[in-house]
Amino acid sequence: MNKVYVIGIGGTGAKCIRSAVHLQCAGAYGKEVRLGVLVVDADASNGNLQSARETVQCALEAGGILRETNVSLFSGPIKNYGYWNPLGNYSDRLTLSDIYREAGMRAVDAGLGELYDCLVSPEERQADLSVGFRGRPSIGSAVVSRISATGFSQGPWPDLINDIQADCANGDKPRIHLFGSIFGGTGSSGLPTLGTLLSRQLAGVRDAVEITASVLLPYFDFDIPDDEDIYAEAKNFTLNTDAALQYLARLAGDSFNCIYLVGDGTKQRYDQPATGGPRQNNPSSCIELIAAAAVSAETGVGYGNGAYLTVSDDNVMTWEDLPGEGTSTSLRSALRTCYAWHFNLYNELRESQRFDSKKSFAKGAPWFDRFFALNDGTNRPDVESEAESKQIAAFDKWSVDFMQWFQEICWSGSAREQLADIRDHVFKAYQGLEPDASRQYAESLEKLVIGQTLAKRENWRDSIDLLKNNLADKKHRLEGVIGLINNLYEII
Amino acid sequence: MQMKTRYVLGGLAITMGIFWIMLVTSFLIENYSLGLKDPIKWSQQIYLPSGALSSILYLCFLLAWIYYTFIRKCKNCLEAKQTLGLWLTLLGMAISSNIVSLVLFINFTTIQATASPNFQTGVIDIDAPPYELLIPLTLVNGLLLFWLPSCFLSQRTLRFIPPFSYELNTISEKR
């Protein structure tokens, strides 16, 4: 099993983690990949970070009870290393002046104090860092680099480093993949710094470890936030990028086996921007999806060898534009499976739970008895059992998150919808045990995937009814909810 | 293979139905006293043409149902189960058409037979078995030429909609 450790740094890094986790659940990284996940951000309340952590949690819950051998959905395990806050040790002192003990520093060395004055503006010194580094890499670098003093001995780092070293000892070739923007604050300061420090920390096994990174160049734009004096400014993005790329090339480049730069000529505009905190919860973007797809790219091969990757149409993203061998196929199948689940199978299963006679239900749903027991004592899973109910709820929760994420991607950076036509749908989680009345039954998948045309003899795949019929025609190795969703995924 | 078994059984059911209408019932009419004056001629000149027409009508209704089940896409179980109403309607129409056909043939077919004294008296005598015997026969026809084949030949989501089709299919195919 391949071991991949993804580390998302900052808000954009967290958003890439969200994409990476969804790709892993959808089987895009392959069946034999174990994904370790760590998010790094100084802003614990950041909306992007919270969304990513919720996604990881959904995926863990669903994967924990839906994982099976030799299936596509949730086949690869996910290990959550949690969250690391570079300000962790300074949580009671949240300005740069506090962290560097400005008063003491000036008292000990007046020259050092003057240098500090040169490098850090008065506003930056007093800015509250609990909402992140405010798009200022200089602040971020000053904070993140202090991790070297702890030698990765705090938070989730010892666990992560131990696992990587254990993988190497077992003869595996683990990969550490970092995500982060290079134009903001946390990512541009944290990504090169952490990459370099990890490379040094793993010096003993460095040859057996691949360290790669998806570095996101400016791909969004926003107006000046109205909430703070010190804020991330889009006008600084180019300057920040230039400086960070120079740093990467000259000082940190050797620490990485491969760095993937991802950007977009047309910047997505975020409305209602926020410098940090819960309000900074920007919609997911296809750029993050491309960055996440780089995890499966072989370093030094094809687009992993510094090749330019460009989209076939300037205005929209197409399925062919997604890098990676199985990315498009897996995502399409996962999308169609989740759609069929959300607008059909979920309510069907909930409806079946309400039927006293399961045989009576199976008469109108011939697929049902291929996966679930009727009232006849067969050894198939009982749809009303607690285990199956949990699986239904867990998959539904993940699929809602997946669809919300994909809906955001479909709208990102484009004047018109791309990849999938799901603009008019509302995807929201449902807690009840009965059918969700807000979900209207759908039957056709024909117009769901933009640009996908099936051969005439394959047209049946566009009908949920015919897909269910296909499932009804034969027995399946896997039964229950796991069998239902995985077999649907395989034929969809 | 499993699907083929269903089709074979469906074909057998149709054959059995036709065999029942055209041969078995004919045999019963000709060999057992049903109150007919000339059972052989009645069977050959009234029952068999009527039976042939009824069989064709049954098959038409059956094909209509099979075609419907083939093209009908149901969003959910409840929608599928609602089609039982259509199936019952078709069964009712098939049996009614059988009865109507029989009534028409009985009333509007003149049996070519030796002269009956009744002709001389001007009385038109309709030679027919009592309807309380004929109507149950049409019900059997309906079961054999519509219900049973539809149990095996219904398609896709509606494959188990005809009553007892699930039970019958699970005899031939372990699910």
Side-chain angles (χ1 to χ4, degrees):
Chain A
M1 183 168 274
N2 298 325
K3 315 286 168 48
V4 178
Y5 299 86
V6 288
I7 302 173
I9 304 155
T12 303
K15 289 168 75 187
C16 292
I17 288 288
R18 195 177 181 206
S19 293
V21 168
H22 279 313
L23 285 179
Q24 166 78 347
C25 295
Y29 293 149
K31 294 175 181 174
E32 292 291 308
V33 170
R34 193 193 74 185
L35 194 74
V37 180
L38 172 66
V39 278
V40 173
D41 203 332
D43 178 7
S45 63
N46 184 289
N48 294 323
L49 175 72
Q50 295 309 323
S51 293
R53 295 182 78 181
E54 277 167 28
T55 294
V56 173
Q57 200 50 42
C58 282
L60 282 170
E61 282 172 19
I65 52 178
L66 293 167
R67 181 159 302 111
E68 257 289 344
T69 50
N70 202 24
V71 294
S72 299
L73 283 168
F74 303 103
S75 59
I78 295 174
K79 180 167 182 184
N80 185 15
Y81 290 92
Y83 160 67
W84 180 66
N85 187 341
L87 295 170
N89 279 353
Y90 310 102
S91 55
D92 55 337
R93 299 189 296 276
L94 291 174
T95 67
L96 204 56
S97 292
D98 292 335
I99 291 167
Y100 277 88
R101 297 184 177 89
E102 189 184 346
M105 182 170 63
R106 287 184 196 284
V108 171
D109 189 337
L112 200 58
E114 283 166 14
L115 181 63
Y116 183 69
D117 288 342
C118 277
L119 294 173
V120 187
S121 70
E123 293 82 14
E124 286 174 341
R125 273 177 243 157
Q126 296 307 319
D128 178 10
L129 301 183
S130 64
V131 290
F133 302 140
R134 297 160 182 278
R136 305 292 171 100
S138 54
I139 303 179
S141 301
V143 176
V144 174
S145 60
R146 292 178 69 94
I147 192 183
S148 58
T150 68
F152 289 96
S153 62
Q154 292 173 343
W157 291 109
D159 196 15
L160 182 82
I161 300 289
N162 285 343
D163 283 353
I164 293 168
Q165 285 171 336
D167 293 339
C168 295
N170 290 335
D172 292 330
K173 195 169 171 59
R175 178 168 180 169
I176 304 170
H177 194 93
L178 280 70
F179 295 113
S181 71
I182 204 158
F183 51 94
T186 313
S188 57
S189 57
L191 190 142
T193 312
L194 280 177
T196 305
L197 295 175
L198 275 169
S199 181
R200 285 182 199 156
Q201 183 70 20
L202 296 167
V205 290
R206 184 64 186 86
D207 289 343
V209 180
E210 273 187 349
I211 301 180
T212 54
S214 290
V215 173
L216 285 87
L217 305 177
Y219 67 97
F220 61 79
D221 211 348
F222 51 78
D223 295 323
I224 295 171
D226 56 3
D227 52 353
E228 295 286 340
D229 295 331
I230 300 289
Y231 43 76
E233 286 184 87
K235 69 175 185 186
N236 291 337
F237 283 176
T238 311
L239 200 64
N240 290 353
T241 304
D242 182 40
L245 284 177
Q246 284 189 49
Y247 176 79
L248 264 179
R250 282 168 33 202
L251 298 167
D254 292 343
S255 304
F256 294 90
N257 292 69
C258 190
I259 294 174
Y260 307 92
L261 300 176
V262 190
D264 192 353
T266 313
K267 291 188 181 61
Q268 190 181 346
R269 191 150 192 87
Y270 289 154
D271 297 326
Q272 298 175 324
T275 301
R279 280 181 58 210
Q280 193 189 339
N281 191 3
N282 305 319
S284 294
S285 162
C286 52
I287 302 300
E288 294 144 18
L289 173 59
I290 289 176
V295 168
S296 59
E298 202 176 327
T299 54
V301 176
Y303 70 91
N305 193 23
Y308 288 105
L309 176 78
T310 180
V311 294
S312 48
D313 184 334
D314 275 350
N315 297 319
V316 289
M317 190 84 180
T318 65
W319 289 96
E320 288 70 34
D321 297 327
L322 295 178
E325 219 170 81
T327 311
S328 292
T329 317
S330 308
L331 262 187
R332 264 200 305 259
S333 296
L335 171 72
R336 285 161 63 88
T337 304
C338 287
Y339 188 90
W341 169 271
H342 191 85
F343 291 112
N344 196 299
L345 285 169
Y346 175 80
N347 274 357
E348 279 277 75
L349 288 177
R350 290 300 191 199
E351 196 68 54
S352 74
Q353 291 179 322
R354 301 205 297 184
F355 266 68
D356 288 334
S357 164
K358 303 298 178 232
K359 188 193 275 185
S360 172
F361 183 83
K363 286 181 180 180
W367 53 271
F368 181 80
D369 66 345
R370 296 293 194 188
F371 298 100
F372 300 99
L374 306 184
N375 307 82
D376 56 0
T378 53
N379 50 11
R380 289 197 175 114
D382 176 5
V383 74
E384 285 187 54
S385 68
E386 197 184 340
E388 294 301 308
S389 271
K390 273 186 181 169
Q391 290 180 359
I392 292 170
F395 183 73
D396 190 61
K397 194 175 170 192
W398 175 79
S399 75
V400 165
D401 193 73
F402 177 88
M403 295 302 278
Q404 287 171 341
W405 165 74
F406 206 81
Q407 193 175 40
E408 290 169 11
I409 282 176
C410 291
W411 272 116
S412 69
S414 168
R416 62 181 198 270
E417 202 161 46
Q418 57 197 357
L419 300 174
D421 183 5
I422 45 177
R423 93 190 92 181
D424 297 328
H425 298 303
V426 176
F427 301 101
K428 60 180 174 54
Y430 185 69
Q431 308 296 333
L433 294 174
E434 64 283 351
D436 180 359
S438 70
R439 299 183 191 184
Q440 296 295 312
Y441 274 101
E443 201 287 308
S444 175
L445 299 173
E446 195 182 344
K447 290 179 180 159
L448 176 64
V449 176
I450 294 172
Q452 184 183 41
T453 45
L454 297 173
K456 202 172 177 184
R457 64 191 170 84
E458 297 288 312
N459 274 350
W460 63 273
R461 293 181 202 274
D462 276 339
S463 159
I464 296 174
D465 183 54
L466 297 183
L467 285 163
K468 289 194 286 189
N469 268 292
N470 189 285
L471 295 175
D473 286 342
K474 53 184 179 292
K475 287 182 180 173
H476 304 281
R477 178 182 68 86
L478 272 177
E479 293 164 347
V481 175
I482 301 178
L484 176 63
I485 57 175
N486 276 294
N487 283 293
L488 180 66
Y489 177 98
E490 295 302 334
I491 62 167
I492 208 163
Chain B
M1 192 65 190
Q2 289 157 346
M3 291 304 286
K4 279 181 185 169
T5 311
R6 294 185 76 216
Y7 295 148
V8 168
L9 290 171
L12 276 175
I14 292 174
T15 312
M16 211 162 74
I18 293 172
F19 186 79
W20 165 261
I21 291 181
M22 305 305 289
L23 297 175
V24 178
T25 316
S26 236
F27 176 82
L28 291 173
I29 290 168
E30 288 171 16
N31 294 284
Y32 293 90
S33 173
L34 298 173
L36 290 163
K37 290 170 189 159
D38 190 345
I40 294 174
K41 279 205 172 355
W42 191 89
S43 166
Q44 286 172 353
Q45 292 178 24
I46 292 180
Y47 180 76
L48 282 179
S50 163
L53 178 64
S54 302
S55 299
I56 290 167
L57 287 170
Y58 274 120
L59 290 178
C60 287
F61 283 111
L62 177 67
L63 283 174
W65 169 253
I66 293 169
Y67 179 70
Y68 176 76
T69 59
F70 188 77
I71 59 162
R72 176 69 198 262
K73 288 175 186 166
C74 299
K75 288 176 180 166
N76 55 44
C77 166
L78 294 180
E79 200 175 294
K81 286 170 84 80
Q82 280 167 2
T83 60
L84 178 62
L86 178 69
W87 184 89
L88 288 170
T89 307
L90 285 173
L91 175 67
M93 285 167 70
I95 292 174
S96 302
S97 72
N98 189 175
I99 294 170
V100 169
S101 147
L102 210 50
V103 169
L104 290 177
F105 271 91
I106 287 169
N107 285 289
F108 295 101
T109 306
T110 307
I111 299 172
Q112 299 297 314
T114 49
S116 161
N118 285 338
F119 285 126
Q120 293 164 351
T121 60
V123 176
I124 298 170
D125 179 27
I126 295 173
D127 187 17
Y131 281 107
E132 58 266 30
L133 273 175
L134 286 177
I135 288 173
L137 281 179
T138 63
L139 293 179
V140 176
N141 296 347
L143 291 178
L144 288 175
L145 260 181
F146 187 81
W147 168 71
L148 195 55
S150 74
C151 284
F152 294 115
L153 298 177
S154 295
Q155 302 290 302
R156 297 178 169 172
T157 298
L158 306 184
R159 68 184 76 174
F160 298 140
I161 292 301
F164 300 106
S165 60
Y166 185 88
E167 288 77 2
L168 285 169
N169 278 284
T170 46
I171 292 170
S172 61
E173 176 210 351
K174 181 146 173 56
R175 289 179 69 82

